Amino acid sequence: MRRWTRWLPLLLVLLWSPGARAGAKIKVVATIPDLADLSRQVGGDLVEVQSIATGVEDIHAVPMKPSFAVLLNKADLVVLMGLEAEHAFLPGLLEAARNPKIMRDAPGYIDCSVLLTPLEVPTRIDRSLGDQHPMGNPHYNLDPVALKDAARAIADGFSRNYPEHEDVFRKNLDAYLAKLDAAIARWKQEAAPLRGKKLVSYHPDMIYFADRFGMQAVGTIEIRAGVDPTPSHIAELEDMMRRDHVDVVVRELHYPAGLAATVAQATGAKLVELPAMVGGVPEAKDCISLIDYNLQAMLKAVQGSA
Amino acid sequence: MRTKPRLCCLVCACAAMLLVLQVGRTAAEESDAEQLKNEIEALKRQMKLLEEKIQKQERLIDKLAAEKGAPQKPAEAAAPAAVAPAGTAPAGAATEAVAPPAPEGESQQDKLASEVTERVMRNIRPSLAGANKTFPSQFNPAIGLIVDTAASYKENERANFEFRSAELGVSASVDPFARGYAILNGTNDGFEVEEAAIVTTSLPWNLTVKGGRFFADFGRLSKFHDHDLPFVNRPIVLDEYVGGESQADGVEVSWLAPTSQYLTLTLGAYNKMGADNDRADNDTPRNLTDFTYLGRAATFLNLSDANSVDLGASWAYTPKIPSEGGLNRQLVGVDLTYRYLPLSEAQYRGLIWGTEVLYNRENRIPPADETASSPDQIVVPGLERGPAPQFVRTSALGMPQEQEDPASAEEPTFQRHGAWGLYSYVEARLSRRLYPGFLFDFAQDIDPGVGDTRAYSPYLTLWMSEFQRLRFQYTYLDAPMNHESEFFLQWTIVLGSHVHGFRDR
């Protein structure tokens, strides 16, 4: 009896280990709610998805909480934006999570940018140009067509790890892409008034949205990506905005309100406050409602200024 | 007389030649212009042909893209097509919802597609091969350099420009089972390997083993490099009790409990702990009783999205310290870090309160008379008084062996002594750039009979960017025999590779 009880703690550990629960749902951890939504759409009933970020954060400053390491420790798959978007928290958390299945470039590490053609790929890597992303601008979650690439990458990743469910993933993917296509068609018509309009955002994270809906992203309040502005930069920006008749100033909701409002007021541009992720505002419950929200807010501003 | 007509003839001949030459040149120029015109015309024709060719290829690519967008299985394609409203498909996406072409056209299109693909691939293959080419240097580790410098003024020691360190960090995966990293540090005292460690990455049961030279898992800020500290100087209690950074040569095993509550347990064995701990060295082989052993437990409480607490308890035990008569030493620490980080404003607003309390318990020789300064004095981090311990020499088994100085044969009086100290700091985030804070230090001397040290340090950190930082700090030091004001201006930069490690959170 004594000998048996001596091994009890070890037995408990083995029973607790993640691989012990056969037949359970596939545990997916997504870095942001947008990817959690796509993962649910593709995985359907086969997956149980949790997101690290809630959606109100700046993706470059998600706090590295140890509780996320626990989440990742138990995960079968991790789904991420890639292009170093999660540089501030994911590498550290993966190190703490001790889960070889989802380490960088392991089969369970699903990078949603692999099928994407990134914008703003720098031709020169230099910190004097700000907090650069060497592989391109990572804020593609605001472009509905790029979301299709992300969904396909998720389906590929799920199928790679669970080939026995590939048919289900492909079927779910096709259904979701059709739904997204219908929405894209609607958005394209609705976005007609945005064509040719110019915007300035706080951070260079509106480029995919602008490109998709025919707008021009002509500047940022940050002097360089990730670097707070100086007074001389703001003066130059305002001069440029007046000269080029910039229509809209976008304040992503995780950036300070004051400066963006001041710039908009000084130049006569309309201020638009937009979430950068699903969950950034209560209305943005999933990827489709996020794009809906952003598009309507932008249209309201542009049509109001016309 | 005859020279004049001869000269006239010569002049006339020259004029005639010049005329002929000029006419010839004009004719030649006209012919060149004509040739040029012809060439331009030919180029225009070529351009037109190329344009037509490009347009043709573009049309073909559009066709192929439409074909590619159509699912292979017509049955599956029917469902999405039905969901999309007719006539509303956008350019980019709509192509994917287009119905498959008529079967009779398929073979011709397939043939065309394969021809185009082949031609395009032939053209781009050299570029692809070039882009995909790998170089042996791509296996080089990520490299970063941190330069830390400061200007200081102390009432008793006066002013100085301090070159604190230039720290080169390299890190990379070793193989599928381990990663490695090294921190090589250059200071005014020379060049040293601050850390060089191997860390396993794929052990079962949430285990991680670390070996080499690294910062032992004792407390929180002991594991931070000097330039990563939230303030200019390391807290006094860590300098005196741990010996600066918790650098250790040895091995550490860490386990993450497979529970929903974050809990890690660490066990370690080291030659010694503390970069500036001179009581033991790394070169002399020793008994198992002479190593330093460590145990640590750490957990995390997520009070809400914005509020959280990190808690840890550490225990370092050295059964015998050979240089001090084989006496044992225990160092216990408790650390608590409270964070308020509103998720939507984490870059701009926040507050951190960090506290560590340490308790040191060991048999200490009472300090000698202040006037009795001799080469026999021992050097303990933060302490420079007390008689040398070499009158008791230990054997390889740690047993007292011989009396070195028969003249001073009297047995030293060891006194069981416990000492404690703490630091506590609070730091606010007012904006992305401004981080003001206040640090309080208190430490009893680990020798009995020596007074306590206190320090009060308000500071302001100004982040120019994520990679450059200025810090202003004032410290009022209240130590035995030393009461002074100190001023610091620290300037730190990061070059090259930069990672946000879990250890430095």
Side-chain angles (χ1 to χ4, degrees):
Chain A
M1 187 64 184
R2 257 190 191 176
R3 200 171 286 172
W4 186 87
T5 51
R6 195 183 298 165
W7 294 103
L8 188 63
L10 186 62
L11 273 171
L12 284 173
V13 167
L14 288 172
L15 285 172
W16 259 329
S17 64
R21 294 176 57 198
K25 286 191 175 185
I26 301 162
K27 287 181 180 158
V28 179
V29 174
T31 54
I32 63 170
D34 309 48
L35 302 183
D37 176 38
L38 296 183
S39 300
R40 284 186 198 103
Q41 299 291 344
V42 173
D45 295 334
L46 295 171
V47 297
E48 180 188 320
V49 186
Q50 285 179 288
S51 170
I52 289 176
T54 64
V56 300
E57 302 92 334
D58 176 353
I59 193 170
H60 303 313
V62 176
M64 203 189 298
K65 292 182 179 179
S67 49
F68 298 146
V70 173
L71 214 58
L72 288 165
N73 174 259
K74 297 178 188 312
D76 298 308
L77 305 169
V78 63
V79 178
L80 62 143
M81 293 282 284
L83 305 177
E84 307 296 326
E86 296 95 343
H87 161 77
F89 63 99
L90 190 63
L93 286 174
L94 287 177
E95 176 196 325
R98 309 165 196 223
N99 184 348
K101 285 191 290 186
I102 57 166
M103 293 302 276
R104 186 164 194 153
D105 298 331
Y109 184 92
I110 300 174
D111 180 341
C112 292
S113 70
V114 289
L115 301 176
L116 181 82
T117 306
L119 299 177
E120 291 184 337
V121 180
T123 51
R124 188 164 70 92
I125 303 294
D126 190 327
R127 288 259 162 81
S128 69
L129 301 174
D131 203 357
Q132 287 183 307
H133 292 271
M135 290 178 285
N137 190 311
H139 299 281
Y140 61 86
N141 60 313
L142 298 179
D143 172 11
V145 176
L147 286 176
K148 293 171 66 178
D149 289 332
R152 288 188 188 105
I154 290 171
D156 289 350
F158 284 8
S159 304
R160 182 172 65 232
N161 287 275
Y162 297 92
E164 67 274 23
H165 300 309
E166 182 170 1
D167 288 347
V168 179
F169 298 142
R170 297 286 165 208
K171 196 177 163 194
N172 290 345
L173 172 72
D174 288 343
Y176 183 65
L177 291 186
K179 197 173 155 189
L180 205 51
D181 277 340
I184 288 169
R186 174 169 56 82
W187 289 327
K188 199 166 183 188
Q189 286 183 339
E190 289 174 355
L194 298 182
R195 188 153 290 279
K197 300 290 181 188
K198 293 175 181 170
L199 70 86
V200 159
S201 55
Y202 204 101
H203 182 76
D205 50 12
M206 294 301 294
I207 180 75
Y208 288 93
F209 179 92
D211 197 55
R212 180 59 50 202
F213 296 115
M215 297 184 79
Q216 294 174 49
V218 294
T220 58
I221 291 177
E222 287 181 325
I223 188 165
R224 297 274 187 275
V227 184
D228 260 3
T230 57
S232 60
H233 169 69
I234 293 298
E236 283 169 20
L237 181 74
E238 288 179 353
D239 284 346
M240 181 276 287
M241 288 174 66
R242 285 190 203 98
R243 192 177 59 241
D244 293 354
H245 306 291
V246 173
D247 306 278
V248 171
V249 173
V250 175
R251 196 229 350 153
E252 304 84 336
L253 286 168
H254 51 268
Y255 284 107
L259 189 54
T262 308
V263 169
Q265 201 173 14
T267 58
K270 284 278 178 184
L271 178 69
V272 188
E273 298 184 323
L274 300 181
M277 287 188 264
V278 169
V281 291
E283 295 89 336
K285 291 182 175 60
D286 52 32
C287 291
I288 290 179
S289 54
L290 171 71
I291 307 285
D292 257 330
Y293 182 90
N294 283 355
L295 193 59
Q296 293 310 318
M298 193 70 86
L299 281 167
K300 197 176 163 189
V302 167
Q303 285 165 344
S305 69
Chain B
M1 283 295 279
R2 280 185 179 178
T3 53
K4 221 173 189 179
R6 207 177 281 169
L7 193 67
C8 282
C9 285
L10 198 66
V11 169
C12 288
C14 284
M17 273 178 73
L18 278 172
L19 195 69
V20 168
L21 278 173
Q22 187 61 34
V23 168
R25 192 193 291 171
T26 314
E29 277 176 0
E30 277 174 7
S31 137
D32 282 351
E34 191 63 33
Q35 197 180 345
L36 207 63
K37 202 176 169 185
N38 290 338
E39 280 177 11
I40 288 170
E41 286 300 323
L43 274 171
K44 275 184 179 173
R45 281 195 298 276
Q46 274 185 350
M47 284 286 287
K48 204 175 175 186
L49 279 173
L50 275 172
E51 269 179 24
E52 282 170 5
K53 209 172 176 181
I54 288 167
Q55 280 172 1
K56 199 177 170 186
Q57 285 189 345
E58 276 179 351
R59 282 196 296 272
L60 195 60
I61 286 166
D62 286 345
K63 271 186 188 174
L64 288 173
E67 189 187 351
K68 188 190 165 199
Q72 294 282 323
K73 299 171 191 170
E76 283 181 20
V83 178
T88 56
T95 50
E96 302 189 7
V98 169
E104 57 266 24
E106 268 180 11
S107 61
Q108 198 188 344
Q109 282 199 344
D110 285 349
K111 196 180 164 193
L112 207 58
S114 65
E115 272 176 21
V116 169
T117 308
E118 198 181 327
R119 194 178 297 174
V120 169
M121 286 308 291
R122 204 181 303 133
N123 288 336
I124 65 169
R125 199 165 283 134
S127 312
L128 279 178
N132 291 336
K133 199 175 273 181
T134 55
F135 302 95
S137 61
Q138 283 175 331
F139 286 111
N140 282 349
I143 301 173
L145 179 78
I146 294 167
V147 179
D148 189 18
T149 182
S152 67
Y153 174 79
K154 297 176 184 177
E155 274 183 321
N156 297 338
E157 294 178 20
R158 294 175 296 164
N160 193 26
F161 287 113
E162 300 173 22
F163 169 68
R164 289 160 62 100
S165 74
E167 199 176 272
L168 192 69
V170 294
S171 64
S173 297
V174 177
D175 56 24
F177 316 111
R179 64 183 177 87
Y181 70 93
I183 308 287
L184 313 171
N185 197 18
T187 64
N188 285 332
D189 297 329
F191 184 79
E192 69 152 350
V193 178
E194 202 161 62
E195 288 189 88
I198 307 148
V199 187
T200 63
T201 54
S202 53
L203 287 184
W205 302 312
N206 293 342
L207 289 170
T208 301
V209 176
K210 189 189 273 190
R213 173 173 292 183
F214 51 88
F215 287 0
D217 192 14
F218 186 93
R220 179 170 170 246
L221 291 189
S222 296
K223 294 173 287 190
F224 279 45
H225 288 264
D226 283 339
H227 57 79
D228 280 333
L229 291 168
F231 17 78
V232 175
N233 297 311
R234 193 165 291 277
I236 294 164
V237 67
L238 301 184
D239 258 344
E240 296 233 358
Y241 290 24
V242 179
E245 295 153 337
S246 62
Q247 188 193 68
D249 291 12
V251 66
E252 216 169 60
V253 181
S254 167
W255 178 63
L256 173 68
T259 55
S260 55
Q261 172 64 35
Y262 177 81
L263 174 68
T264 56
L265 299 176
T266 307
L267 295 174
Y270 324 106
N271 288 341
K272 62 162 189 159
M273 188 175 77
D276 302 327
N277 175 5
D278 294 332
R279 298 196 202 184
D281 64 61
N282 281 312
D283 300 328
T284 317
R286 68 209 72 208
N287 298 312
L288 289 178
T289 52
D290 300 344
F291 288 105
T292 295
Y293 298 94
L294 175 132
R296 174 171 167 80
T299 190
F300 171 80
L301 307 171
N302 198 27
L303 306 177
S304 68
D305 278 350
N307 296 277
S308 64
V309 172
D310 285 76
L311 273 174
S314 315
W315 176 64
Y317 177 59
T318 312
K320 288 180 179 176
I321 304 173
S323 68
E324 295 185 6
L327 303 171
N328 72 47
R329 181 186 180 207
Q330 295 186 62
L331 182 63
V332 180
V334 175
D335 55 275
L336 178 151
T337 310
Y338 163 75
R339 287 185 179 84
Y340 166 68
L341 285 175
L343 292 184
S344 62
E345 303 174 289
Q347 296 232 50
Y348 297 89
R349 296 281 181 271
L351 186 126
I352 292 181
W353 171 47
T355 299
E356 277 188 71
V357 182
L358 274 72
Y359 179 70
N360 182 70
R361 186 166 176 82
E362 60 182 316
N363 286 338
R364 299 290 299 168
I365 304 158
D369 191 326
E370 289 295 333
T371 56
S373 77
S374 77
D376 294 340
Q377 286 186 327
I378 59 168
V379 180
V380 174
L383 287 175
E384 290 178 355
R385 60 177 71 86
Q390 62 264 43
F391 36 68
V392 177
R393 172 158 290 180
T394 54
S395 70
L397 294 170
M399 300 299 290
Q401 197 177 37
E402 60 177 334
Q403 301 270 326
E404 175 147 338
D405 185 3
S408 59
E410 55 192 87
E411 283 292 325
T413 311
F414 295 104
Q415 190 179 335
R416 192 78 178 161
H417 181 61
W420 73 281
L422 66 82
Y423 76 82
S424 185
Y425 78 99
V426 63
E427 182 180 278
R429 284 185 190 180
L430 298 186
S431 69
R432 198 193 258 185
R433 284 191 170 153
L434 285 176
Y435 287 34
F438 185 87
L439 166 70
F440 171 69
D441 275 300
F442 169 80
Q444 289 183 335
D445 206 293
I446 57 175
D447 272 330
V450 182
D452 306 336
T453 300
R454 290 178 179 78
Y456 309 87
S457 307
Y459 63 90
L460 175 68
T461 305
L462 179 65
W463 291 91
M464 311 303 288
S465 70
E466 193 184 339
F467 308 103
Q468 183 177 189
R469 183 188 71 198
L470 280 173
R471 181 172 286 146
F472 308 89
Q473 181 170 313
Y474 165 77
T475 296
Y476 178 72
L477 183 68
D478 178 14
M481 312 286 287
N482 189 11
H483 307 274
E484 65 172 356
S485 289
E486 300 172 343
F487 301 86
F488 302 92
L489 171 57
Q490 184 187 22
W491 193 4
T492 310
I493 58 158
V494 180
L495 301 177
S497 168
H498 164 67
V499 290
H500 297 264
F502 191 76
R503 182 177 74 173
D504 304 329
R505 58 180 292 276

